[in-house]
Amino acid sequence: MSSRYLSRAIAIQSLYEWDFYEKKADLKKILERNIKEFGPGLSDEFALQLVNGVLSHLKEIDNLIEKTASEWPIEQISIVDRNILRLGLYEVLYGDKKAVPSKVAINEAIELAKAFGGDRSGKFINGVLGTVYKQL
């Protein structure tokens, strides 16, 4: 498992926990704890960049999710899928394209959905991110 994939997985776990507690918990502390527990020795730089990026663009990302998956109000999307979408959209829209091309970011999000989501999560994530990518 690559360190970037592990960083994404830990970022998703942290965003999930933060979202589960209705965004009242300290996300940075959650992330730090999860890195110590699930990625000892892992540099927290990439995971922190992802989490901070999602937070700084949360409103725009959530609005885009609502427009792209209009039949699914954002609060009805599972917490796992919602946060994988947030992370994937952050990377596609605002991430460093030289370090992580959009197609790679989409593929990584799909893999996270297969690992952490439900039976149809991968297809759902692929559909939403693919639609956004085509619109770019």
Side-chain angles (χ1 to χ4, degrees), residues 12 69 73 75 91 104:
I12 289 298
E75 64 276 349
E91 285 199 273
V104 172

Side-chain angles (χ1 to χ4, degrees), residues 122-136:
K123 289 182 181 182
F124 178 65
I125 300 297
N126 185 34
V128 174
L129 295 180
T131 299
V132 171
Y133 178 74
K134 287 175 188 173
Q135 291 174 354
L136 295 177

Side-chain angles (χ1 to χ4, degrees), residues 26-135:
D26 184 338
L27 183 53
K28 187 170 181 174
K29 287 182 182 177
I30 293 170
L31 179 66
E32 289 171 357
R33 185 189 71 238
N34 285 338
I35 288 173
K36 285 179 186 173
E37 185 172 343
F38 301 111
L42 180 71
S43 168
D44 67 348
E45 183 179 325
F46 186 58
L48 187 60
Q49 175 191 345
L50 293 172
V51 166
N52 285 337
V54 168
L55 285 181
S56 65
H57 298 285
L58 186 63
K59 187 173 182 169
E60 300 95 337
I61 290 170
D62 282 357
N63 287 337
L64 188 56
I65 293 170
E66 288 177 340
K67 288 177 187 172
T68 308
S70 57
E71 65 280 355
W72 288 95
I74 196 151
E75 64 276 349
Q76 289 183 4
I77 298 172
S78 76
I79 297 175
V80 172
D81 291 353
R82 181 170 56 229
N83 285 292
I84 292 172
L85 282 172
R86 286 172 173 162
L87 184 78
L89 285 170
Y90 165 73
E91 285 199 273
V92 168
L93 298 172
Y94 306 104
D96 179 0
K97 303 294 185 283
K98 290 181 182 178
V100 182
S102 294
K103 289 185 178 183
V104 172
I106 292 169
N107 188 57
E108 290 291 318
I110 293 166
E111 292 304 314
L112 287 167
K114 290 177 182 177
F116 295 105
D119 293 340
R120 298 176 188 227
S121 294
K123 289 182 181 182
F124 178 65
I125 300 297
N126 185 34
V128 174
L129 295 180
T131 299
V132 171
Y133 178 74
K134 287 175 188 173
Q135 291 174 354

